[in-house]
Amino acid sequence: NAPNQFIIKTIIGSNKSIKRCISSQRARDPDLSGKIYVKFKISPSGSVSRARVTTSRYAGTALDTCISREVNALQFPPFEGKTQNITYPLLVIGD
């Protein structure tokens, strides 16, 4: 079965490149905080596709481009079954 929320949180939360995306955005937007929702697909092979930020404030921005690129590059453990649609809340803590 598909990766659970713990696995997704561990892989995304420990990703240094995604953290760099958020740091770069914070330099442009010091008020950056809250949840940034990222939607993506995980195929049974564990590869990720179609990542995008769905939080309207950041959709289509440099932050969306950066996070989407990094999430698409992630690899999850392979699983049995169908491609999974995931919406993941990236929690950004303000300074």
Side-chain angles (χ1 to χ4, degrees):
N1 43 356
N4 64 31
Q5 283 294 330
F6 174 76
I7 292 172
I8 293 170
K9 181 177 181 171
T10 301
I11 290 175
I12 290 179
S14 63
N15 187 285
K16 290 179 175 58
S17 299
I18 293 172
K19 289 179 180 171
R20 275 196 297 273
C21 293
I22 292 167
S23 295
S24 296
Q25 180 68 25
R26 179 165 282 134
R28 295 187 291 270
D29 179 5
D31 296 331
L32 178 67
S33 67
K35 287 183 180 170
I36 299 170
Y37 287 91
V38 184
K39 192 172 186 175
F40 56 95
K41 294 179 182 287
I42 304 175
S43 73
S45 69
S47 64
V48 176
S49 64
R50 301 182 61 118
R52 68 190 198 290
V53 170
T54 59
T55 304
S56 57
R57 180 176 171 190
Y58 302 110
T61 66
L63 180 65
D64 182 359
T65 302
C66 187
I67 289 176
S68 297
R69 180 182 64 235
E70 299 307 335
V71 171
N72 278 329
L74 295 176
Q75 184 68 36
F76 289 89
F79 61 92
E80 299 288 322
K82 297 180 179 173
T83 295
Q84 300 292 310
N85 293 308
I86 307 290
T87 299
Y88 181 80
L90 269 174
L91 188 60
V92 180
I93 310 298
D95 284 343

